[in-house]
Amino acid sequence: MNIHFEKSRLSGAVKAPPSKSMAHRYLICAALANGESTIRGISDSKDISATLSCLSALGVCWERDGDTVRVHGKDMKKDTEQRELFCNESGSTLRFFIPLCMLSGYGATLSGSDTLMSRPLTVYEKLFEEKGLPFEKRGDNSLFVGGKLKPGEYRVAGNVSSQFISGLLFVLPLLGRDSVISIIPPIESEPYLKLTVKALEDFGVKVEFSDELTIKIKGNQRYQPQDVTVEGDYSNAAFLEALNLFDENDLTVTGLSEDSLQGDRIFYDYFDKLRCGMPTLYIGNCPDLGPVLMAIAAAMNGAVFCGTHRLKMKESDRGAAMAEELAKFGVAVNAEEDSIVVYPANFHAPEEPLDGHNDHRIVMALSTILCRLGGTIRGAQAVEKSYPEYFDTLKTLGAVFTEEEI
């Protein structure tokens, strides 16, 4: 789908979409609980649909009514079948479900899109090799894992993604003895670990950080069924709040928890710094903000971003993708291994169509500045991955655009 934007003034109030990160975590905790749980605030995004589909593939029953999902938990340790899971394009789903598939010992085949299965899994691969567990990548974009996870010590690299640690945290409390996760520094996206710990606690499971690199996990714990509501999502709210950085717009974004543990809430502070000059911003703990921060930097005073190496490991190489598209606005970007510089420039409307690079956050980031300048973006349907209502929301706020199906 192509979208042709006209210059627009946006105003009004809008509720932030529910947090995809917490939705994944709550659904998994509910699936592991003994009884029925109710999860309110579940979006129709493709990533959440992937997690629900994988729960079904593991034999977990659930029903949906609007944005509410009722999950009937299951003791996956008693499973007696080999399972097949399709994770579509969701990195969280793939990395969270690999340990879940190791509860029964019967093994599972996990598959997904080309993009997903090319994303790093080396942390699990090395860990499973150390534990003597099958971990077989296949040529059809699938992965076979087998054997049973056992309690004990797990040394896990922290510099690729916290999702590997979170995946283990869901499962290790259910095992028969205590376990320890020792994180090999540095830790990337540490706030997401805190979200996992919160989700566990909300379902009656506790883990303890004895220091910043060591997590102690009591065995023989049980998830308790709950009725919970997914909080608003700071990651996607950032694309809406970014519109307020332009004087002609006046938006109010509601539904965000002030005491949220989401690391992306730092966007408020970073937006303020982008207004005032050419700041240096560390995004190692909030890589999903990278595209929108680069877009706003291009429209304002430029910026230097550090801790950017993980942008290569997303739905696209986000640093390279944004550099390519911002050049169409007259903006120079220098992307190195772990830093990106967006230089101040004679910012102007793009003279050719933009490419969304099949990446939801690239599409939304570029849309924020197209609302101001006008222009066309191709592949806009990528927003369905995390925020399918995004363009409808922009329209209710006054954005003027036309859609072209291709």
Side-chain angles (χ1 to χ4, degrees):
M1 178 175 68
N2 297 340
I3 292 191
H4 309 278
F5 284 89
E6 298 180 22
K7 294 180 182 180
S8 308
R9 296 184 62 182
L10 286 77
S11 63
V14 60
K15 186 176 181 180
S19 167
K20 182 165 66 80
S21 297
M22 285 307 291
H24 284 301
R25 288 161 171 78
Y26 277 161
L27 288 169
I28 291 171
C29 290
L32 294 169
N34 181 22
E36 180 181 291
S37 295
T38 300
I39 317 295
R40 307 175 193 277
I42 297 295
S43 76
D44 288 323
S45 70
K46 286 187 175 180
D47 279 6
I48 296 304
S49 295
T51 284
L52 287 168
S53 173
C54 287
L55 289 180
S56 296
L58 289 177
V60 176
C61 296
W62 53 270
E63 302 93 34
R64 181 166 194 155
D65 182 9
D67 71 347
T68 299
V69 176
R70 290 178 176 81
V71 181
H72 305 271
K74 174 185 175 181
D75 187 349
M76 296 184 194
K77 292 185 290 184
K78 296 181 179 179
D79 203 352
T80 57
E81 298 180 42
Q82 190 174 122
R83 303 287 183 167
E84 294 187 3
L85 290 73
F86 180 65
C87 303
N88 202 347
E89 294 185 345
S90 175
S92 296
T93 304
L94 177 62
R95 290 167 176 168
F96 290 167
F97 273 77
I98 288 174
L100 263 67
C101 293
M102 313 294 289
L103 276 169
S104 71
Y106 278 82
T109 300
L110 301 99
S111 61
S113 69
D114 293 350
T115 305
L116 175 66
M117 301 310 290
S118 68
R119 292 171 71 173
L121 290 172
T122 51
V123 174
Y124 278 152
E125 188 172 12
K126 182 178 179 182
L127 195 64
F128 283 29
E129 181 181 356
E130 292 172 354
K131 300 292 183 182
L133 297 170
F135 190 94
E136 179 186 343
K137 294 179 179 178
R138 296 174 175 171
D140 59 350
N141 281 333
S142 70
L143 165 72
F144 175 78
V145 295
K148 242 183 185 180
L149 279 184
K150 296 180 179 179
E153 181 174 1
Y154 289 78
R155 287 179 52 79
V156 184
N159 65 337
V160 180
S161 172
S162 63
Q163 291 172 349
F164 299 104
I165 302 168
S166 290
L168 292 170
L169 284 175
F170 289 120
V171 170
L172 293 180
L174 297 173
L175 305 186
R177 291 183 289 106
D178 297 354
S179 298
V180 174
I181 296 177
S182 299
I183 304 171
I184 303 168
I187 305 175
E188 294 286 348
S189 300
E190 186 177 3
Y192 287 96
L193 278 183
K194 294 179 180 178
L195 293 180
T196 303
V197 172
K198 181 182 186 305
L200 296 178
E201 289 178 347
D202 287 347
F203 278 78
V205 171
K206 292 187 177 182
V207 300
E208 176 188 355
F209 277 83
S210 57
D211 59 53
E212 63 180 8
L213 297 175
T214 308
I215 309 174
K216 293 185 176 180
I217 303 143
K218 290 286 186 184
N220 289 313
Q221 297 191 62
R222 296 290 180 267
Y223 288 85
Q224 304 300 320
Q226 300 294 330
D227 186 327
V228 293
T229 299
V230 178
E231 65 178 89
D233 185 38
Y234 277 88
S235 301
N236 280 332
F239 297 97
L240 301 172
E241 286 283 8
L243 295 162
N244 275 327
L245 295 174
F246 306 128
D247 292 340
E248 62 267 26
N249 298 327
D250 183 16
L251 281 68
T252 301
V253 181
T254 64
L256 295 171
S257 171
E258 292 185 1
D259 58 356
S260 174
L261 298 174
Q262 295 178 54
D264 286 356
R265 64 180 299 176
I266 200 170
F267 77 73
Y268 287 116
D269 179 50
Y270 282 5
F271 284 178
D272 285 343
K273 291 178 178 178
L274 288 168
R275 281 190 184 100
C276 299
M278 187 178 178
T280 297
L281 305 175
Y282 175 72
I283 61 172
N285 285 329
C286 54
D288 286 343
L289 294 181
V292 70
L293 292 171
M294 290 178 68
I296 296 305
M300 293 190 161
N301 309 296
V304 178
F305 299 102
C306 303
T308 62
H309 70 277
R310 285 189 59 226
L311 297 186
K312 299 177 184 292
M313 308 173 193
K314 296 293 186 177
E315 288 80 353
S316 68
D317 180 341
R318 287 178 174 166
M322 288 300 293
E324 179 181 337
E325 301 313 312
L326 291 176
K328 299 172 184 177
F329 293 85
V331 176
V333 176
N334 181 35
E336 301 290 346
E337 179 61 28
D338 200 34
S339 65
I340 294 173
V341 182
V342 179
Y343 292 96
N346 182 21
F347 189 60
H348 58 71
E351 297 175 354
E352 59 182 297
L354 306 179
D355 186 344
H357 294 263
N358 196 34
D359 190 322
H360 55 136
R361 301 200 190 277
I362 298 293
V363 172
M364 290 189 284
L366 295 172
S367 295
T368 62
I369 45 182
L370 288 180
C371 284
R372 187 186 195 197
L373 297 175
T376 299
I377 186 166
R378 297 170 176 158
Q381 70 276 5
V383 299
E384 294 172 3
K385 188 174 194 297
S386 67
Y387 194 176
E389 307 87 5
Y390 177 69
F391 289 111
D392 289 338
T393 298
L394 288 185
K395 188 170 288 187
T396 64
L397 294 169
V400 180
F401 56 83
T402 56
E403 301 176 21
E404 177 189 359
E405 297 293 341
I406 57 173

